[in-house]
Amino acid sequence: MAFAEKYLLALPPVEIAGRQLKRYHVTSDPAGIEPEVEKAAYALLPELLPPPDGTAAAGFVVLHRGDDTGAYLNTYSWVWDNVLHFGGAAAGQAALDCPDTDPTHFVRVDRSWIGCVWELAPLGHERDAWVRHMLTPDAPDLAGYLADALPSGTTGTGTGTGVGAGAGR
């Protein structure tokens, strides 16, 4: 299997089920993820989020459109002050027990997998941003955390080069 980086697009945060979520999209297609796949994925998001526990209701989402019929939704929510909760779903992927090849038919995936190599690109940045804005200051800065996203680019660079913000599409 030949490996190739994919495009990573950082999108503005959204509020879903009372939780503010940064958004990252991963795809091989420079045009981005199809709107119908995004809409279907985000409709399932509330089912993947943990209940409130007193931690700032924030986290991030990675939506990945595979090169075949598959689409993958990974949700990472901050809980217990400094712990990352994971919830996952997939569509169009028989190997993950999806009922069909429709990339908009998302079902919850209850495996202990937290993401593939392309989906993991934001994790290090998000950890550092949480420490920088929520754990280190005298007063947590949720707005600062939400504004601090990994730049759009490719999944391997994290430098904001390639596609997206300021680089053209």
Side-chain angles (χ1 to χ4, degrees):
M1 172 180 182
F3 176 79
E5 294 295 350
K6 294 187 177 187
Y7 297 103
L8 175 82
L9 182 62
L11 299 166
V14 294
E15 184 173 329
I16 295 178
R19 193 169 286 271
Q20 296 188 57
L21 301 167
K22 296 186 199 181
R23 298 181 299 151
Y24 297 100
H25 285 186
V26 174
T27 181
S28 294
D29 185 347
I33 292 177
E34 305 98 308
E36 61 274 14
V37 172
E38 177 183 13
K39 182 178 178 182
Y42 289 5
L44 186 69
L45 264 175
E47 294 180 34
L48 302 176
L49 301 173
D53 72 349
T55 302
F60 59 102
V61 173
V62 178
L63 177 58
H64 177 188
R65 183 65 165 96
D67 293 335
D68 54 12
T69 57
Y72 313 93
L73 176 63
N74 298 337
T75 64
Y76 304 93
S77 302
W78 291 105
V79 298
W80 209 36
D81 191 43
N82 59 15
V83 173
L84 204 52
H85 172 276
F86 173 78
Q93 182 53 259
L96 295 176
D97 301 321
C98 294
D100 52 42
T101 58
D102 180 354
T104 67
H105 189 184
F106 280 86
V107 295
R108 190 178 186 130
V109 175
D110 289 320
R111 296 191 184 202
S112 56
W113 303 353
I114 64 164
C116 72
V117 295
W118 298 285
E119 298 159 358
L120 294 176
L123 281 176
H125 175 86
E126 290 300 321
R127 179 257 181 216
D128 292 346
W130 189 257
V131 170
R132 186 169 39 255
H133 298 286
M134 301 299 292
L135 301 179
T136 303
D138 291 334
D141 177 13
L142 182 57
Y145 169 74
L146 293 170
D148 188 347
L150 184 65
S152 295
T154 62
T155 53
T157 63
T159 62
T161 60
V163 300
R169 289 189 207 180

